[in-house]
Structures are given as C-alpha cells and as structure tokens.
Amino acid sequence: MPVVTTTQPEPELAADGMPRGQAVLDALVELLDLETLETNLFRGVSPPQSPTRVFGGQVAAQALVAAGRTVPDDREVHSLHAYFIRPGDPRIPIVYEAERVRDGRSFTTRRVLAIQRGEAIFSLSASFQLPQEGLEHSTPAPVDVPAPLTLPDLGQRVAEGRGAGWMSQIPRPLDMRFVDDPVWSDQRVSASEEPNRVWMRADGRLPDDRLLHVCLLTYASDLTLLGSVLARHDRPEQPAQMASLDHAMWFHRPFRADEWLLYTTFSPAASGARGLATGRFTTEDGTLIATTVQEGLVRVPR
C-alpha cells in the first residue's frame, strides 16, 4: 500500500517576515487541545517559540480548557479567578489537575492546578452557568475609535521601525491593531492618563466551539493588560521587571474571538511594586462582552 503523506500549509508572512494567518492560528488551537491522561487529569505543552517562561495567557487558557472538559456542554463559563504561583518552564509539559468542586442546578464550579516538576505553577477557579434570562444593561460604547482595518498590524509596525516588543519575535495567531502606541514603542515616552486601546481578533477562522472562543480570549487578555500600569508613568530608562500575579475575567455575552474586539485597558492604582490593571472587551458595535482585572509585579530599576 502506498504511503500517503500530508503537509501542513505554509503560514502567511507578515510585513516583517514573521508567520501569521490561519496556519499559525490552527497551531494555537492545537496547543489548547490538551491530552487527556486520566479522569480530571490533562497535559499541555508550550510552543517551540516561547519566551524564557511560559506565557501567562497560555497557561490560563489551557487551565480553562481543562476545567471545561469536565463540565456538561449546556453550561458556559461566566467567570474565572486565577493566581500565577511560579514561572512555568516552556521546555517541559504542564499537567493540569481538575477538581469537580460543585455541580448545582444552575452553576458548576471547577478548580484547576497546573503542575510542573511536582510543584504548582498556576491555579484557577472557574464558574459555569446554564443560560438564563435576566436584567440587561451595559456601559456606553467607546467613541472616536478608528476602525481596525485603518490601523497597521504588528508586522507593518515592525517593518516601519515602530516595534512590537517581545511579540515581534514569535508567530502571531492574533491580528492586533494598536489605536494608541504601546508602552514598548519608542513613540511613547511620556505618561498618559488615557486608557490604552487595541483591536484584536484571531487571525483566521475558528470552529463553532463556544469554550474555544472564551479560551482564546483568555489567552489574548494577558498580552497587553499589565502594560497599562507603565503607561501611567514616563518611560523608564531601563526595562521594568513585570510579571502577572493574579488574573480575573467575567464573560457577559456570547461573542466570537475571530471577529474584531476592542480591548481597552487602564491602571487605576500602583503601589508596593505592584500595579492593578483593568480591561474591557467590546465588539465593533460597542457591546461589552468581557471584563478583566489583573494585578502584576512591576519593578522599575533604580
């Protein structure tokens, strides 16, 4: 019998030569498809091109996948609360241990512990709910925001010499269009009291899997959130040491992560070498679909 071989399509290249597009997005989706080891026990890996420690959005998204695998399909995640305990090593797998805390009539609660070398590196609690009717209201839609396709993507920014921070060195499963210059940009040197805004969407088409879209948004929520702390201050001469300490999200309405979402972030407070950052995800028509809050370590060299 002849051997049939299949080849993965070549990824598109951004203006700066970095991989982007559907093939890169598919690789992220595969990364979130955890291996089942045993009941309530799963294993995930990090991509070959990783920072020196596991990206926080990755471990949060994978932990949420582990939680969702133990929940009936008719219940959707509405909130998560997580702590980053130790830096993760991207060279070795991560084991996710899910605990079935409660299965009620309307709500289901899960806890997940991410483990490497026998030690916890991350913990997550997530709550799932049956769809229900109730009161509805939302904050006003953002105003005077340029449309995403009128703004340069990350590859164009790098090609123009405007920088993309650590994201300039890795494949890009997300299409990100910054409304305001990010904190790592040479164009942004002075403090601002205004929020930071960036359009983002999965750079391709995703399956119709509600949990996957929520996990993709969880991944994306950690990319720029803590930078809003630095944005309140003049740019330091030396890079600041930054690390996520905890992370919380609330999902208000259904959405698709492969459609444009505006991420508006702002830091209301910083003290004790820690900064608090808040974020809101809104659709192109201004509907609020998710809220984020994170506290992070922010040490500025003396």
Side-chain angles (χ1 to χ4, degrees), residues 239-252:
Q241 179 187 358
M242 303 176 67
S244 303
L245 296 175
D246 60 15
H247 194 83
M249 296 188 74
W250 294 264
F251 305 96
H252 312 303

Side-chain angles (χ1 to χ4, degrees), residues 17-18 33-34 43 47 62 68 77 99 104 126 142 150 177 224 232 290:
M18 291 302 298
D33 188 16
L34 303 180
R43 178 163 56 197
Q62 288 180 330
V77 60
E99 179 185 358
T150 66
R177 312 287 179 114
T224 62
R232 296 287 304 274

Side-chain angles (χ1 to χ4, degrees), residues 63-237:
L64 188 56
V65 170
R69 292 274 179 89
T70 70
V71 175
D73 292 338
D74 60 354
R75 304 194 174 206
E76 299 170 1
V77 60
H78 70 88
S79 70
L80 65 86
H81 300 259
Y83 283 94
F84 297 90
I85 302 171
R86 292 181 177 89
D89 186 344
R91 299 170 298 176
I92 63 175
I94 306 171
V95 173
Y96 294 93
E97 183 179 10
E99 179 185 358
R100 302 177 187 236
V101 178
R102 180 177 184 268
D103 290 287
R105 292 182 179 179
S106 299
F107 291 88
T108 294
T109 306
R110 295 291 185 261
R111 280 199 295 259
V112 177
L113 206 59
I115 302 167
Q116 282 188 323
R117 298 191 178 97
E119 294 184 322
I121 65 168
F122 177 85
S123 67
L124 173 139
S125 294
S127 182
F128 298 74
Q129 181 189 17
L130 280 170
Q132 294 176 322
E133 298 293 329
L135 299 175
E136 292 213 13
H137 66 264
S138 183
T139 57
V143 296
D144 300 327
V145 181
L149 294 180
T150 66
L151 301 166
D153 63 22
L154 280 178
Q156 292 167 326
R157 290 185 63 92
V158 175
E160 295 168 1
R162 299 167 66 183
W166 65 274
M167 287 184 285
S168 64
Q169 304 300 318
I170 60 173
R172 303 183 191 123
L174 303 178
D175 188 350
M176 302 177 65
R177 312 287 179 114
F178 285 89
V179 178
D180 312 286
D181 285 317
V183 292
W184 60 72
S185 171
D186 292 337
Q187 282 71 39
R188 185 164 190 160
V189 295
S190 58
S192 173
E193 297 297 312
E194 298 299 319
N196 297 313
R197 299 164 299 174
V198 55
W199 288 103
M200 58 175 67
R201 67 177 176 184
D203 199 5
R205 195 66 178 170
L206 291 170
D208 295 332
D209 180 338
R210 293 280 290 276
L211 179 62
L212 177 61
H213 287 257
V214 171
C215 291
L216 256 292
L217 196 69
T218 301
Y219 174 94
S221 68
D222 194 40
L223 286 169
T224 62
L225 185 54
L226 202 54
S228 64
V229 177
L230 289 182
R232 296 287 304 274
H233 301 266
D234 291 339
R235 186 176 181 179
E237 294 183 3

Side-chain angles (χ1 to χ4, degrees), residues 8-27:
Q8 295 294 327
E10 289 294 324
E12 301 174 38
L13 296 180
D16 62 339
M18 291 302 298
R20 56 158 298 179
Q22 187 69 54
V24 179
L25 177 61
D26 290 344

